Amino acid sequence: MLDAKDAVRHLVGLQAQNTRPPYYSLAARLEGFDPLELSRLMASREVARIVTMRSTIHTLTADDCLALRPLVQPVIDRELRLFLKRLPGVDAARVAELARVFVAERPRPLKELRELLLKEWPDADPQALATVARCALPLLQATPRGLWGESGQVALTSSGAWFDRPEPVFSPEEAGEVLDATVLRYLGAFGPASVKDMQTWCGLTRLRTAFERLRPRLLTFRDEHGTELFDLSDAPRPEADTPAPPRFLPEYDNLLLSHADRTRLVPPEYKMRTWCGNYAYCTLLVDGLVAGIWRLEESKKADAATLTIEPFGRLTRAQRAEVTEEGARTLATLTSAAAQDVRFGEFYGTQGR
């Protein structure tokens, strides 16, 4: 059985645009998960929140924070170039040089970092300055941000300063080795998958060469559309009729974002139901497929918590019972409220939510 740290490592990080999804992700995957276990790992600096895959925030082990950030830097550079267009005359290398000094002294709240950088470029766009610093440097979010049951503003420091370890600089050969190892780990977490699937997951392009290098070590298949899929030779491949119990996934869970072809998890008739604009809802899986959305509402004053489920279609009596049982387990894991209730609501569409 995996513990929280092993699970974070196995999944090559947890999507963490918000602070709670990493906890929800592990609650859905680990039997007996205690949110304080992940929180303690964050407090002890064994895991941290940093921008990596797809230029979005992930919760990663310390080793992966250090290794994966330079691997996906080309993805982050695309964002950097966009913000540099809003900063005529500003040198990104100089922004990085100054920001590194500032965050080495102590983690800096975004507002403070912006104000410090504005002393050098008083007429510049402050948000763009801070974003360029975040893109040019491996800046992570220091605790208490992200700790379970605690609150804290975003305060940034460098991965090297936070972990008290040198930030790696890879030679082309070393970068190739890191990429190959990451391909294997991606397949271990999300395979069988195509080259395009992994590119969707991490944001990198032109990964075909890495897959070809690894081809002798992999098994290949074809899906119903003829797309070539790769997988580890020793990966488990359950039979099609293997039961898949209900699971409550957070918004932006990597299970849903790690394939170019999401019909493997999202029935075509439900394609746009888990999103509203740029906002994603928490999703319910039934029999391994997206079947609804859910939300958790807590009232400290009433010492109560309610998990409301909105199925997209009709659930059988057996499915409803299983979903209710899993909802109760999820509630017990994620809240200590004295009164806990699992409710079913009607799905009326995502507009206006």
Side-chain angles (χ1 to χ4, degrees), residues 231-254:
D231 204 3
L232 304 182
S233 59
D234 59 350
R237 277 174 285 277
E239 296 296 328
D241 58 354
T242 301
R247 289 292 182 261
F248 290 88
L249 298 182
E251 66 268 30
Y252 305 112
D253 191 277
N254 270 341

Side-chain angles (χ1 to χ4, degrees), residues 137-158:
L137 292 175
L139 298 183
L140 56 75
Q141 296 186 2
T143 54
R145 178 74 173 175
L147 296 183
W148 184 252
E150 299 189 34
S151 61
Q153 63 182 324
V154 174
L156 302 176
T157 188
S158 67

